[in-house]
Amino acid sequence: MRTKFWSLAFQIPGSVRSRIVRYTAMPLVATMLLQSLSAQQPATPGTGAPKPEEKSTPAEKPKTEEAKKPSEVIAIVGGDIITVTRETIRKGTILVENGKIKNVGKDIEIPSDAKKIDASGRVITPGFVCINMSGVGTSSSAGFGPSPSGGPGKLADELNPFDRKIQVSLAIGITSGCVQIRSGGGGRFGRAENEGFDFTERFPEFDPDDATLAYFDAPEERDYGVIQRLCACCNLPILPTEPITSPPPSPILPQKSSVVKMSYGVLKGMFVKDSAFLELTPGALTGASNQAAWRDQIGKAKKYLKDQAAHEQATKEGKREQPPRKPVSDEILSLVKREVALRITANRVSEIRDQLDLAKELSYRLVIAGGLEAWVIPKEIAAAGASLTITPRNRREARFGEEETSGSWIELPRVLEQSGIPFAVETLEDAVSAVGLAGRDLTSLPLEAAFAVRGGASESRALAAITIVPATMLGLQDRIGSIEVGKDADLLILNGPPLDYRTYVESAMVNGKVVFTRPEDKVLPVYDRAQN
Amino acid sequence: MKQVTQNRFLRIAQQTFTVAVCSALSFSALPAQDVVAIRNATIRTQGKDGVIANGTVLIRNGKIAEVGPKVDIPIVAQVIDGKGKTVTPGFVSIFYPVSTQRDSSGGDGSRVVTVQGRTFVIPGRSPAASTSFVKVADILNRDSVEWKGPLRAGVTTMNLVTAGYSQAAVASPSEDKQTSKVIEPNGRVVVTVTNSTQSLDLLRNNLKAPSRSVPSGIPPNMAAMMAARGMRPPGSGTPPGTPTGATPPTGATSEQANASTPELTPEQKLWSEVREGNSPLFVVVNNSATILHVLQVFQEHPKVKAIWVVNGADAYQSLAEFPKETTRLVLPPAIDFVPNSRDKMNVPAIAAERKLPFVLSFGTRTEESQLAPTFALAMLVKTGLSEDSAMKSVTLGPAEFLGLEKTIGSIEVGKVANLILFDGSPFEATTAINNVFLEGRPVYED
């Protein structure tokens, strides 16, 4: 009965059906696996109970002691290493020292004092990078709370390395994630929803959070203009009210994303990058007025950078000049400097084209989120050098009369791969949640990548879509996303191929430290599948 | 041994009389040269004598005059027979929160500001509100403190603290709030920290060596703003959010700001003591993540000695991270759940095993404490904590944390006679308190 349901649900194509017949022992996995990977794993995945040697760090105590001996070398031996960016190494060895990958290969001398982790029969992959994540490792209000300096609190100060959701994320292999900072005043809809009105707008210069208010209440210090009239009945002053005319478009404020690692129990090294990504709400750049405001801001940013360079030059020459005033946020400046990419949702062909045009005109890096109809114009996207984050299971009906050129298409991943467009895979929901529909949240990330394989992408490309591609989008391709010498030791030891839905993460290492072991942390069921 | 043969009836009569007189004179009127002897009792001295079986404590002038297995009891002494009973030092409540009744506008998430003589209620707390410094001894409202309850539970010394950011005060409770007294108004600095920028900045800014013109507690940008507007920096200790018209103190403060070598404000002095490790800092944290954040701050200030007021499970998760030399823990006397699990654990016992100095926060749950004052201790002892470290963690340990180990915390000659007489072993849940002696006076009798 169950088999029937699955076959219906997945609509197994004929090409793979023959393989399923051959591998009767693994009925459905085959559809989700790369040919190459399944070849590596001829036996049924997950044989045997987790070996005690793998529980290298069973409790909190050894974990932290390990961190205090930085020179310790860890050797992960015997596993099949999927490096993502290089060739796969069978029964290879990875040496980890000081949180970095010291060496990786087949015939590597293991120092005698190295701590060995036996991974024979296991698959080792880089930790997965989640491109869109929220509420993991931080309090829900991260970035919201005011700091004494007036600005929003810093995410780095609000991290919670003991969040249970970190363990849940590690259990399915996520070791790094891009967290949105939803600070106040975001986007065009900046007026805070919970407050009746904005004090600062109503009373210019009256900042209720100004700490000086608490100390000084001398009336002469704050002058809000002469009160013209008093109310006839209550004798209270009638204060200036907001103009009835609609205000001019406020500047578009992109929201910032920060990268955090899922280093359970370890604060050091958890915060990776403050500003890795710019996010804009869908529609923030649609319409002439929005786009004009955006062009204006980018123009200001460019002018500021030019002025600043001139100012630095002048300072070098010994002239004393006022430095130029920063007209836009730091995030927009780094966008203009191409240090970070802009990520914006665009699904329809027209929306995607709009964004491509804007990015080309203003020359910033663009990442299109969604991209359901990207299969219609792959050449244009490839030519613009944009990349995509897709959710292969997302579906949208074609529009009436445009059946051939609109709506979602299951083969989007194949089209993207063949056109050479880098794409990352994200989940339907960006949170770890037990209340939503199972299989939609972050815990389905590898499964979502498997659906890219279903849509015609190669398995290696699908794995890259949750490792090196998102790492590159975040500007962290030198640190995470693949197994290479010198990169952060964010590694997964899996009991099967990475995109197989039956595969469990046996243990996860972040910054060279084992932060998750399946038998110890009891997130996913702990049992021996071989008996089935 | 003449005293031993003293008529039992006389003794009882004497005792009864004393108690009657005590109640009549409300104790404070008792002559200080009263001599009391407790004999034949098991004495947990917590000092160099250890546990004395069948010993005698002699109290004179509110101090412990003699203690040992053989003590000559003077004929004038009021003798209490302690056969089958146990004498321990009075308990020290290391973290006794008191309400301060100030700034009513801050608590409910709104505050009142006055603009041109008109009053506005603004939603949201002032960012400065939580960073205001409070000296408990200055604002202590005796009426609002529950003095009797802790006393009945054997607490003879309390470290009074308030939530947020304050300087604690050590007090000695009495059965009458008028005679309860603050014995050390200049206590330790207590700061509640959460994992937020605002809260951590308070710690970071204060631990930094004070710059010349910026008064501590005021962020630099604000000081700059004040300078730009020609404002005067407020005097330290001025509660923020004062109503209109309350101009900050002028004179000395502004002179200080302008002087080339300004004197440190009292608040800054306290922090420099903390920075140098001369005075430990109470850090109150509510989650395990904050412990790591604060430890990160302390990495730049290795001399700082911290007394962590933490919950057991939170401490357990970071137990290996605490540097042993500069860490003291204040743990609730309770059994905790292992995080993410239904297993239970005895965190004080684990801390004792790891040789992390810890004490137990005792005497704050008054109703429970009175019914079975040592129930929590008994539970911890039954599940792995040694009797000695259990007793130390509510007597000498907290006294050491407060810097009062020379006067209280153990039964040694010359120390203040704060004693508890139990009707059995204090580590049995059914044991009750017979007598509590405060400076030699019996202040509570069961």
PDB file of all heavy atoms in Angstrom, chain A residues 64 68 154 156-157 159-160 162 167 208 211 214 216-217 222 224, chain B residues 111 114-115 195 197 204 222 232 241-242 288-289 293 320-321 340:
ATOM      1  N   THR A  64      34.230  20.811  25.344  1.00  0.00           N
ATOM      2  CA  THR A  64      34.877  22.075  25.637  1.00  0.00           C
ATOM      3  C   THR A  64      36.342  21.891  25.974  1.00  0.00           C
ATOM      4  O   THR A  64      37.157  22.735  25.682  1.00  0.00           O
ATOM      5  CB  THR A  64      34.147  22.763  26.789  1.00  0.00           C
ATOM      6  OG1 THR A  64      33.772  21.763  27.716  1.00  0.00           O
ATOM      7  CG2 THR A  64      32.925  23.486  26.313  1.00  0.00           C
ATOM      8  N   LYS A  68      40.009  23.646  24.256  1.00  0.00           N
ATOM      9  CA  LYS A  68      41.100  24.307  24.955  1.00  0.00           C
ATOM     10  C   LYS A  68      42.469  23.783  24.544  1.00  0.00           C
ATOM     11  O   LYS A  68      43.478  24.323  24.940  1.00  0.00           O
ATOM     12  CB  LYS A  68      40.916  24.154  26.474  1.00  0.00           C
ATOM     13  CG  LYS A  68      39.899  25.136  27.006  1.00  0.00           C
ATOM     14  CD  LYS A  68      39.542  24.855  28.431  1.00  0.00           C
ATOM     15  CE  LYS A  68      38.363  25.735  28.843  1.00  0.00           C
ATOM     16  NZ  LYS A  68      37.751  25.260  30.054  1.00  0.00           N
ATOM     17  N   LYS A 154      23.055  44.004  18.288  1.00  0.00           N
ATOM     18  CA  LYS A 154      23.860  43.228  17.355  1.00  0.00           C
ATOM     19  C   LYS A 154      23.516  41.761  17.486  1.00  0.00           C
ATOM     20  O   LYS A 154      23.381  41.235  18.595  1.00  0.00           O
ATOM     21  CB  LYS A 154      25.338  43.426  17.649  1.00  0.00           C
ATOM     22  CG  LYS A 154      25.801  44.833  17.450  1.00  0.00           C
ATOM     23  CD  LYS A 154      27.322  44.892  17.600  1.00  0.00           C
ATOM     24  CE  LYS A 154      27.793  46.288  17.901  1.00  0.00           C
ATOM     25  NZ  LYS A 154      27.801  46.610  19.328  1.00  0.00           N
ATOM     26  N   ALA A 156      25.418  39.343  16.976  1.00  0.00           N
ATOM     27  CA  ALA A 156      26.505  38.609  17.610  1.00  0.00           C
ATOM     28  C   ALA A 156      26.329  38.531  19.117  1.00  0.00           C
ATOM     29  O   ALA A 156      26.791  37.593  19.749  1.00  0.00           O
ATOM     30  CB  ALA A 156      27.842  39.262  17.272  1.00  0.00           C
ATOM     31  N   ASP A 157      25.644  39.523  19.685  1.00  0.00           N
ATOM     32  CA  ASP A 157      25.447  39.532  21.128  1.00  0.00           C
ATOM     33  C   ASP A 157      24.239  38.700  21.540  1.00  0.00           C
ATOM     34  O   ASP A 157      24.000  38.506  22.720  1.00  0.00           O
ATOM     35  CB  ASP A 157      25.253  40.963  21.627  1.00  0.00           C
ATOM     36  CG  ASP A 157      26.547  41.742  21.627  1.00  0.00           C
ATOM     37  OD1 ASP A 157      27.613  41.084  21.656  1.00  0.00           O
ATOM     38  OD2 ASP A 157      26.505  42.972  21.590  1.00  0.00           O
ATOM     39  N   LEU A 159      23.287  35.688  20.098  1.00  0.00           N
ATOM     40  CA  LEU A 159      23.326  34.287  19.699  1.00  0.00           C
ATOM     41  C   LEU A 159      23.116  33.382  20.905  1.00  0.00           C
ATOM     42  O   LEU A 159      23.549  33.675  22.008  1.00  0.00           O
ATOM     43  CB  LEU A 159      24.677  33.969  19.066  1.00  0.00           C
ATOM     44  CG  LEU A 159      24.977  34.713  17.766  1.00  0.00           C
ATOM     45  CD1 LEU A 159      26.388  34.404  17.318  1.00  0.00           C
ATOM     46  CD2 LEU A 159      23.986  34.339  16.700  1.00  0.00           C
ATOM     47  N   ASN A 160      22.465  32.282  20.648  1.00  0.00           N
ATOM     48  CA  ASN A 160      22.262  31.283  21.689  1.00  0.00           C
ATOM     49  C   ASN A 160      22.779  29.936  21.200  1.00  0.00           C
ATOM     50  O   ASN A 160      22.079  29.215  20.495  1.00  0.00           O
ATOM     51  CB  ASN A 160      20.779  31.184  22.046  1.00  0.00           C
ATOM     52  CG  ASN A 160      20.514  30.116  23.065  1.00  0.00           C
ATOM     53  OD1 ASN A 160      21.444  29.530  23.632  1.00  0.00           O
ATOM     54  ND2 ASN A 160      19.257  29.834  23.305  1.00  0.00           N
ATOM     55  N   PHE A 162      23.057  27.304  22.637  1.00  0.00           N
ATOM     56  CA  PHE A 162      22.416  26.144  23.252  1.00  0.00           C
ATOM     57  C   PHE A 162      20.993  25.949  22.741  1.00  0.00           C
ATOM     58  O   PHE A 162      20.221  25.208  23.331  1.00  0.00           O
ATOM     59  CB  PHE A 162      22.410  26.297  24.775  1.00  0.00           C
ATOM     60  CG  PHE A 162      23.779  26.271  25.373  1.00  0.00           C
ATOM     61  CD1 PHE A 162      24.380  27.423  25.824  1.00  0.00           C
ATOM     62  CD2 PHE A 162      24.475  25.078  25.472  1.00  0.00           C
ATOM     63  CE1 PHE A 162      25.656  27.399  26.370  1.00  0.00           C
ATOM     64  CE2 PHE A 162      25.743  25.050  26.014  1.00  0.00           C
ATOM     65  CZ  PHE A 162      26.335  26.204  26.463  1.00  0.00           C
ATOM     66  N   GLN A 167      20.586  21.848  17.209  1.00  0.00           N
ATOM     67  CA  GLN A 167      20.778  20.396  17.140  1.00  0.00           C
ATOM     68  C   GLN A 167      19.889  19.792  16.061  1.00  0.00           C
ATOM     69  O   GLN A 167      20.298  18.871  15.356  1.00  0.00           O
ATOM     70  CB  GLN A 167      20.469  19.769  18.500  1.00  0.00           C
ATOM     71  CG  GLN A 167      21.576  20.004  19.506  1.00  0.00           C
ATOM     72  CD  GLN A 167      21.318  19.281  20.819  1.00  0.00           C
ATOM     73  OE1 GLN A 167      20.191  19.205  21.279  1.00  0.00           O
ATOM     74  NE2 GLN A 167      22.358  18.764  21.414  1.00  0.00           N
ATOM     75  N   PRO A 208      12.244  59.250  21.400  1.00  0.00           N
ATOM     76  CA  PRO A 208      11.892  58.734  22.728  1.00  0.00           C
ATOM     77  C   PRO A 208      12.959  57.805  23.299  1.00  0.00           C
ATOM     78  O   PRO A 208      12.998  57.586  24.508  1.00  0.00           O
ATOM     79  CB  PRO A 208      10.591  57.980  22.486  1.00  0.00           C
ATOM     80  CG  PRO A 208      10.555  57.716  21.031  1.00  0.00           C
ATOM     81  CD  PRO A 208      11.325  58.794  20.367  1.00  0.00           C
ATOM     82  N   ALA A 211      18.737  58.481  25.086  1.00  0.00           N
ATOM     83  CA  ALA A 211      19.045  58.224  26.480  1.00  0.00           C
ATOM     84  C   ALA A 211      19.183  59.507  27.293  1.00  0.00           C
ATOM     85  O   ALA A 211      19.015  59.497  28.500  1.00  0.00           O
ATOM     86  CB  ALA A 211      20.333  57.415  26.584  1.00  0.00           C
ATOM     87  N   ALA A 214      16.356  60.625  29.607  1.00  0.00           N
ATOM     88  CA  ALA A 214      16.232  60.072  30.934  1.00  0.00           C
ATOM     89  C   ALA A 214      16.952  60.939  31.956  1.00  0.00           C
ATOM     90  O   ALA A 214      16.596  60.952  33.126  1.00  0.00           O
ATOM     91  CB  ALA A 214      16.775  58.664  30.956  1.00  0.00           C
ATOM     92  N   PHE A 216      17.889  64.356  31.385  1.00  0.00           N
ATOM     93  CA  PHE A 216      17.596  65.778  31.327  1.00  0.00           C
ATOM     94  C   PHE A 216      16.152  65.994  30.971  1.00  0.00           C
ATOM     95  O   PHE A 216      15.692  65.562  29.937  1.00  0.00           O
ATOM     96  CB  PHE A 216      18.481  66.452  30.286  1.00  0.00           C
ATOM     97  CG  PHE A 216      19.920  66.207  30.535  1.00  0.00           C
ATOM     98  CD1 PHE A 216      20.612  65.310  29.763  1.00  0.00           C
ATOM     99  CD2 PHE A 216      20.574  66.850  31.566  1.00  0.00           C
ATOM    100  CE1 PHE A 216      21.937  65.061  30.006  1.00  0.00           C
ATOM    101  CE2 PHE A 216      21.904  66.606  31.804  1.00  0.00           C
ATOM    102  CZ  PHE A 216      22.592  65.705  31.029  1.00  0.00           C
ATOM    103  N   ASP A 217      15.495  66.645  31.817  1.00  0.00           N
ATOM    104  CA  ASP A 217      14.134  66.972  31.486  1.00  0.00           C
ATOM    105  C   ASP A 217      13.894  68.466  31.551  1.00  0.00           C
ATOM    106  O   ASP A 217      12.779  68.917  31.698  1.00  0.00           O
ATOM    107  CB  ASP A 217      13.180  66.221  32.419  1.00  0.00           C
ATOM    108  CG  ASP A 217      12.960  64.817  31.916  1.00  0.00           C
ATOM    109  OD1 ASP A 217      12.387  64.695  30.825  1.00  0.00           O
ATOM    110  OD2 ASP A 217      13.397  63.869  32.572  1.00  0.00           O
ATOM    111  N   ARG A 222      14.686  70.864  24.932  1.00  0.00           N
ATOM    112  CA  ARG A 222      13.998  70.302  23.777  1.00  0.00           C
ATOM    113  C   ARG A 222      12.900  71.265  23.348  1.00  0.00           C
ATOM    114  O   ARG A 222      11.925  71.475  24.047  1.00  0.00           O
ATOM    115  CB  ARG A 222      13.386  68.952  24.125  1.00  0.00           C
ATOM    116  CG  ARG A 222      14.403  67.869  24.328  1.00  0.00           C
ATOM    117  CD  ARG A 222      13.723  66.580  24.612  1.00  0.00           C
ATOM    118  NE  ARG A 222      12.795  66.723  25.729  1.00  0.00           N
ATOM    119  CZ  ARG A 222      13.175  66.718  26.998  1.00  0.00           C
ATOM    120  NH1 ARG A 222      14.429  66.546  27.298  1.00  0.00           N
ATOM    121  NH2 ARG A 222      12.296  66.863  27.951  1.00  0.00           N
ATOM    122  N   TYR A 224      10.153  72.056  20.632  1.00  0.00           N
ATOM    123  CA  TYR A 224       9.407  71.508  19.503  1.00  0.00           C
ATOM    124  C   TYR A 224       8.562  72.583  18.849  1.00  0.00           C
ATOM    125  O   TYR A 224       7.487  72.333  18.347  1.00  0.00           O
ATOM    126  CB  TYR A 224       8.546  70.328  19.972  1.00  0.00           C
ATOM    127  CG  TYR A 224       9.396  69.267  20.553  1.00  0.00           C
ATOM    128  CD1 TYR A 224       9.353  68.959  21.896  1.00  0.00           C
ATOM    129  CD2 TYR A 224      10.319  68.610  19.744  1.00  0.00           C
ATOM    130  CE1 TYR A 224      10.185  68.010  22.418  1.00  0.00           C
ATOM    131  CE2 TYR A 224      11.154  67.654  20.264  1.00  0.00           C
ATOM    132  CZ  TYR A 224      11.090  67.363  21.603  1.00  0.00           C
ATOM    133  OH  TYR A 224      11.923  66.427  22.121  1.00  0.00           O
TER     134      TYR A 224
ATOM    135  N   ARG B 111       6.580  54.771  29.904  1.00  0.00           N
ATOM    136  CA  ARG B 111       7.217  55.730  30.806  1.00  0.00           C
ATOM    137  C   ARG B 111       6.676  57.117  30.509  1.00  0.00           C
ATOM    138  O   ARG B 111       6.070  57.369  29.471  1.00  0.00           O
ATOM    139  CB  ARG B 111       8.737  55.690  30.653  1.00  0.00           C
ATOM    140  CG  ARG B 111       9.227  56.115  29.302  1.00  0.00           C
ATOM    141  CD  ARG B 111      10.608  55.552  29.069  1.00  0.00           C
ATOM    142  NE  ARG B 111      10.859  55.400  27.661  1.00  0.00           N
ATOM    143  CZ  ARG B 111      11.642  56.212  26.969  1.00  0.00           C
ATOM    144  NH1 ARG B 111      12.267  57.197  27.570  1.00  0.00           N
ATOM    145  NH2 ARG B 111      11.827  56.028  25.683  1.00  0.00           N
ATOM    146  N   THR B 114       8.267  64.447  30.105  1.00  0.00           N
ATOM    147  CA  THR B 114       7.615  65.742  30.173  1.00  0.00           C
ATOM    148  C   THR B 114       8.258  66.652  29.149  1.00  0.00           C
ATOM    149  O   THR B 114       9.487  66.784  29.100  1.00  0.00           O
ATOM    150  CB  THR B 114       7.761  66.337  31.573  1.00  0.00           C
ATOM    151  OG1 THR B 114       7.368  65.339  32.497  1.00  0.00           O
ATOM    152  CG2 THR B 114       6.887  67.539  31.730  1.00  0.00           C
ATOM    153  N   VAL B 115       7.447  67.198  28.312  1.00  0.00           N
ATOM    154  CA  VAL B 115       7.926  68.094  27.281  1.00  0.00           C
ATOM    155  C   VAL B 115       7.219  69.427  27.461  1.00  0.00           C
ATOM    156  O   VAL B 115       5.993  69.492  27.420  1.00  0.00           O
ATOM    157  CB  VAL B 115       7.622  67.513  25.885  1.00  0.00           C
ATOM    158  CG1 VAL B 115       8.104  68.482  24.812  1.00  0.00           C
ATOM    159  CG2 VAL B 115       8.282  66.172  25.718  1.00  0.00           C
ATOM    160  N   ASN B 195      21.629  38.012  26.979  1.00  0.00           N
ATOM    161  CA  ASN B 195      22.388  38.030  25.726  1.00  0.00           C
ATOM    162  C   ASN B 195      21.771  39.043  24.763  1.00  0.00           C
ATOM    163  O   ASN B 195      21.117  38.707  23.794  1.00  0.00           O
ATOM    164  CB  ASN B 195      22.492  36.650  25.094  1.00  0.00           C
ATOM    165  CG  ASN B 195      21.154  35.960  24.949  1.00  0.00           C
ATOM    166  OD1 ASN B 195      20.216  36.243  25.669  1.00  0.00           O
ATOM    167  ND2 ASN B 195      21.066  35.051  24.000  1.00  0.00           N
ATOM    168  N   THR B 197      22.740  43.161  23.142  1.00  0.00           N
ATOM    169  CA  THR B 197      23.789  44.162  23.020  1.00  0.00           C
ATOM    170  C   THR B 197      23.712  45.166  24.158  1.00  0.00           C
ATOM    171  O   THR B 197      24.716  45.524  24.758  1.00  0.00           O
ATOM    172  CB  THR B 197      23.652  44.885  21.675  1.00  0.00           C
ATOM    173  OG1 THR B 197      23.626  43.895  20.658  1.00  0.00           O
ATOM    174  CG2 THR B 197      24.811  45.812  21.436  1.00  0.00           C
ATOM    175  N   ARG B 204      30.527  45.750  29.287  1.00  0.00           N
ATOM    176  CA  ARG B 204      31.744  46.117  28.560  1.00  0.00           C
ATOM    177  C   ARG B 204      32.172  47.533  28.900  1.00  0.00           C
ATOM    178  O   ARG B 204      33.349  47.782  29.183  1.00  0.00           O
ATOM    179  CB  ARG B 204      31.484  46.031  27.048  1.00  0.00           C
ATOM    180  CG  ARG B 204      31.291  44.627  26.548  1.00  0.00           C
ATOM    181  CD  ARG B 204      31.137  44.660  25.035  1.00  0.00           C
ATOM    182  NE  ARG B 204      30.672  43.386  24.532  1.00  0.00           N
ATOM    183  CZ  ARG B 204      29.602  43.233  23.764  1.00  0.00           C
ATOM    184  NH1 ARG B 204      28.892  44.273  23.408  1.00  0.00           N
ATOM    185  NH2 ARG B 204      29.256  42.042  23.344  1.00  0.00           N
ATOM    186  N   MET B 222      26.443  59.315  23.575  1.00  0.00           N
ATOM    187  CA  MET B 222      25.556  60.185  24.329  1.00  0.00           C
ATOM    188  C   MET B 222      26.367  61.297  24.987  1.00  0.00           C
ATOM    189  O   MET B 222      25.928  62.456  25.017  1.00  0.00           O
ATOM    190  CB  MET B 222      24.851  59.356  25.384  1.00  0.00           C
ATOM    191  CG  MET B 222      23.838  60.140  26.157  1.00  0.00           C
ATOM    192  SD  MET B 222      23.021  59.060  27.286  1.00  0.00           S
ATOM    193  CE  MET B 222      22.756  60.216  28.599  1.00  0.00           C
ATOM    194  N   ARG B 232      25.498  69.207  30.924  1.00  0.00           N
ATOM    195  CA  ARG B 232      26.399  68.755  31.979  1.00  0.00           C
ATOM    196  C   ARG B 232      26.196  67.275  32.186  1.00  0.00           C
ATOM    197  O   ARG B 232      25.064  66.796  32.153  1.00  0.00           O
ATOM    198  CB  ARG B 232      26.086  69.492  33.276  1.00  0.00           C
ATOM    199  CG  ARG B 232      26.368  70.969  33.203  1.00  0.00           C
ATOM    200  CD  ARG B 232      25.866  71.621  34.446  1.00  0.00           C
ATOM    201  NE  ARG B 232      24.420  71.503  34.573  1.00  0.00           N
ATOM    202  CZ  ARG B 232      23.583  72.462  34.211  1.00  0.00           C
ATOM    203  NH1 ARG B 232      24.033  73.579  33.703  1.00  0.00           N
ATOM    204  NH2 ARG B 232      22.283  72.301  34.353  1.00  0.00           N
ATOM    205  N   GLY B 241      15.314  59.279  34.656  1.00  0.00           N
ATOM    206  CA  GLY B 241      13.871  59.327  34.597  1.00  0.00           C
ATOM    207  C   GLY B 241      13.283  60.144  35.720  1.00  0.00           C
ATOM    208  O   GLY B 241      12.142  59.953  36.108  1.00  0.00           O
ATOM    209  N   THR B 242      14.068  61.029  36.269  1.00  0.00           N
ATOM    210  CA  THR B 242      13.531  61.872  37.319  1.00  0.00           C
ATOM    211  C   THR B 242      12.534  62.841  36.718  1.00  0.00           C
ATOM    212  O   THR B 242      12.674  63.240  35.569  1.00  0.00           O
ATOM    213  CB  THR B 242      14.654  62.653  38.011  1.00  0.00           C
ATOM    214  OG1 THR B 242      15.523  63.133  36.999  1.00  0.00           O
ATOM    215  CG2 THR B 242      15.411  61.802  38.974  1.00  0.00           C
ATOM    216  N   SER B 288      21.910  29.857  29.452  1.00  0.00           N
ATOM    217  CA  SER B 288      23.266  29.354  29.307  1.00  0.00           C
ATOM    218  C   SER B 288      24.056  30.131  28.266  1.00  0.00           C
ATOM    219  O   SER B 288      25.270  30.259  28.377  1.00  0.00           O
ATOM    220  CB  SER B 288      23.217  27.874  28.945  1.00  0.00           C
ATOM    221  OG  SER B 288      22.273  27.673  27.921  1.00  0.00           O
ATOM    222  N   ALA B 289      23.364  30.644  27.254  1.00  0.00           N
ATOM    223  CA  ALA B 289      24.082  31.381  26.213  1.00  0.00           C
ATOM    224  C   ALA B 289      24.753  32.621  26.797  1.00  0.00           C
ATOM    225  O   ALA B 289      25.884  32.954  26.446  1.00  0.00           O
ATOM    226  CB  ALA B 289      23.118  31.783  25.096  1.00  0.00           C
ATOM    227  N   HIS B 293      28.521  34.444  26.534  1.00  0.00           N
ATOM    228  CA  HIS B 293      28.731  35.837  26.115  1.00  0.00           C
ATOM    229  C   HIS B 293      29.519  36.606  27.180  1.00  0.00           C
ATOM    230  O   HIS B 293      30.442  37.342  26.864  1.00  0.00           O
ATOM    231  CB  HIS B 293      27.386  36.523  25.866  1.00  0.00           C
ATOM    232  CG  HIS B 293      26.749  36.142  24.562  1.00  0.00           C
ATOM    233  ND1 HIS B 293      27.126  36.697  23.370  1.00  0.00           N
ATOM    234  CD2 HIS B 293      25.782  35.264  24.266  1.00  0.00           C
ATOM    235  CE1 HIS B 293      26.406  36.189  22.391  1.00  0.00           C
ATOM    236  NE2 HIS B 293      25.578  35.299  22.916  1.00  0.00           N
ATOM    237  N   ALA B 320      32.306  23.434  31.990  1.00  0.00           N
ATOM    238  CA  ALA B 320      33.719  23.295  31.656  1.00  0.00           C
ATOM    239  C   ALA B 320      34.322  24.598  31.151  1.00  0.00           C
ATOM    240  O   ALA B 320      35.538  24.718  31.026  1.00  0.00           O
ATOM    241  CB  ALA B 320      33.890  22.207  30.610  1.00  0.00           C
ATOM    242  N   GLU B 321      33.460  25.571  30.839  1.00  0.00           N
ATOM    243  CA  GLU B 321      33.962  26.827  30.291  1.00  0.00           C
ATOM    244  C   GLU B 321      34.431  27.787  31.386  1.00  0.00           C
ATOM    245  O   GLU B 321      35.203  28.692  31.130  1.00  0.00           O
ATOM    246  CB  GLU B 321      32.874  27.530  29.472  1.00  0.00           C
ATOM    247  CG  GLU B 321      32.271  26.698  28.367  1.00  0.00           C
ATOM    248  CD  GLU B 321      33.210  26.572  27.195  1.00  0.00           C
ATOM    249  OE1 GLU B 321      34.083  27.436  27.046  1.00  0.00           O
ATOM    250  OE2 GLU B 321      33.079  25.587  26.453  1.00  0.00           O
ATOM    251  N   ASN B 340      17.559  19.116  27.474  1.00  0.00           N
ATOM    252  CA  ASN B 340      17.040  18.284  26.383  1.00  0.00           C
ATOM    253  C   ASN B 340      16.865  16.836  26.803  1.00  0.00           C
ATOM    254  O   ASN B 340      17.089  15.922  26.001  1.00  0.00           O
ATOM    255  CB  ASN B 340      17.947  18.348  25.153  1.00  0.00           C
ATOM    256  CG  ASN B 340      18.073  19.745  24.617  1.00  0.00           C
ATOM    257  OD1 ASN B 340      17.139  20.530  24.706  1.00  0.00           O
ATOM    258  ND2 ASN B 340      19.228  20.071  24.081  1.00  0.00           N
TER     259      ASN B 340
END
